[in-house]
Amino acid sequence: MRSVSIHCTSCGKAHKLDEAIFRCDLCNEPLEIEEISNGRINKGNILTQTIWERYEDFYPFLDKNNRFTLGEGFTPLIEMKDLAYSIGISGLYMKNETQNPTWSFKDRGTAVGIMDAKRLGYKRIGTVSTGNMATSVAAYGAAAGMETFVFVSKDISEEKINPIAMYNPHLIKVEGNYGELYFESLKIGKENNIYFINSDVPMRVEGSKTIAYEICEQLNFQMPDYVIVPTSAGGNIRGIEKGFREFKSCGLIDNVPKIICAQSLGCSPIYNAYYNNSDAITRVEKPHTIAHAIENPYPPSGNQVLRLLKNNGGIATAVTDEEILKAQALMAKEGILGQPASSVPLAAIIKLKEEGFLKGNEKVVCIVTGSGLKYTASFAMHQLYSAECELNELSDYIKENY
Ligand SMILES: [Zn+2]
């Protein structure tokens, strides 16, 4: 283990990693661990290796004798040739994060968060979420034997709360302004010795770096032109960009792909600020979108994502619910069932191609963040068909109809 520095993404103030620290105590912007510029991949058998062993050099602050994993990561990168052809771009790949232990990318950051909480001696962890992150933290907390607190909003649906409850955390429906709960939880954590693994905390960002590392390996270090990330709080897009940046610093890749922050028009605070050329996001007053997993009206890393796009040369874009549902159906046709939020990148590609931003010679990677089975309510918004037939008539029925 070696100590690393952690600094504010806005004012640059250095902080210490010897306590649970999540935001800058000077300007309240998110913190980021120093860029690792000297590392290599531990090539080995991925059937026996964990992602934390393979990319160990990029996590010098974690205690390798105290690793914790449920087998997150090593998710497939699928090339979608037919879809690329029909959209008119030269390459399209989907990083299928639905294949993580709790069916979303969140497990990567949860694992790092738990390892960090253990390093600091915490016995209690927590999170604020109504979806993917709540399920992930509940599962990992249970498996790690830690007392786990999950704060959800009071109007959470049965479909969403039941999978969280199955892992048996302290599950608390909180009445009041859900948007403020993120900031409130950091205070509650301090007062009650709970390590909050919230959406964009530094360790969650560190976990998401592995998505970029894997993409580099899966594409034989030939970088795509764009990586499109459905963006809510901003932790995942930050981690993915940092991962590419670190591999470039270590000489493993020649260039960092451009990052596209994709949001739903029904809740697009980062896109709105980007579009208006502003340095700071403003709260979306009445968010409404089918892409619930990215429906964050005031993303805690929103300003940092704007800074990231500026440095990286990437852009922000947003799509309608109708475009999202169309993309969800297109992905299902290719065998990948993503939740609506996970269909936002494909919808964005189609839109950016139609608008002429994409010329046609680009290679693009979409991050499919979470499983379609997490939000079955979206199925009712599609035209779904089935037929009925008696068993003894089935053969004739098929001959006559197909
Ligand atoms: Zn600061």
Side-chain angles (χ1 to χ4, degrees), residues 8-13 15 24-29 31:
C8 173
T9 54
S10 180
C11 74
K13 185 187 169 187
H15 290 68
C24 179
D25 56 18
L26 209 59
C27 73
N28 202 30
E29 279 290 291
L31 301 175

Side-chain angles (χ1 to χ4, degrees), residues 60-71:
F61 47 88
L62 293 179
D63 177 4
K64 63 176 166 186
N65 300 314
N66 211 356
R67 286 210 181 97
F68 178 76
T69 183
L70 283 177

Side-chain angles (χ1 to χ4, degrees), residues 19 22 49 81 155 161 180 188 192 234 253 302 308 343 348 377 380:
E19 56 176 325
F22 304 113
Q49 199 178 32
K81 284 188 178 157
D155 50 7
I161 200 168
E180 280 168 24
I188 293 168
N192 298 278
I253 54 173
L308 173 162
S343 315

Side-chain angles (χ1 to χ4, degrees), residues 222-293:
Q222 301 301 308
M223 286 302 92
D225 298 285
Y226 295 101
V227 174
I228 310 195
V229 190
T231 302
S232 185
N236 197 31
I237 191 170
R238 287 179 52 205
I240 291 170
E241 189 269 343
K242 186 171 187 239
F244 285 118
R245 217 172 347 113
E246 290 184 336
F247 262 28
K248 179 163 183 287
S249 286
C250 295
L252 292 165
I253 54 173
D254 293 332
N255 65 297
V256 171
K258 289 199 165 65
I259 305 290
I260 297 180
C261 161
Q263 298 202 292
S264 163
L265 269 172
C267 182
S268 54
I270 300 172
Y271 167 72
N272 297 349
Y274 174 86
Y275 186 81
N276 294 318
N277 220 357
S278 166
D279 290 338
I281 56 160
T282 45
R283 185 183 295 273
V284 169
E285 283 311 329
K286 283 187 184 137
H288 183 74
T289 171
I290 177 93
H292 287 295

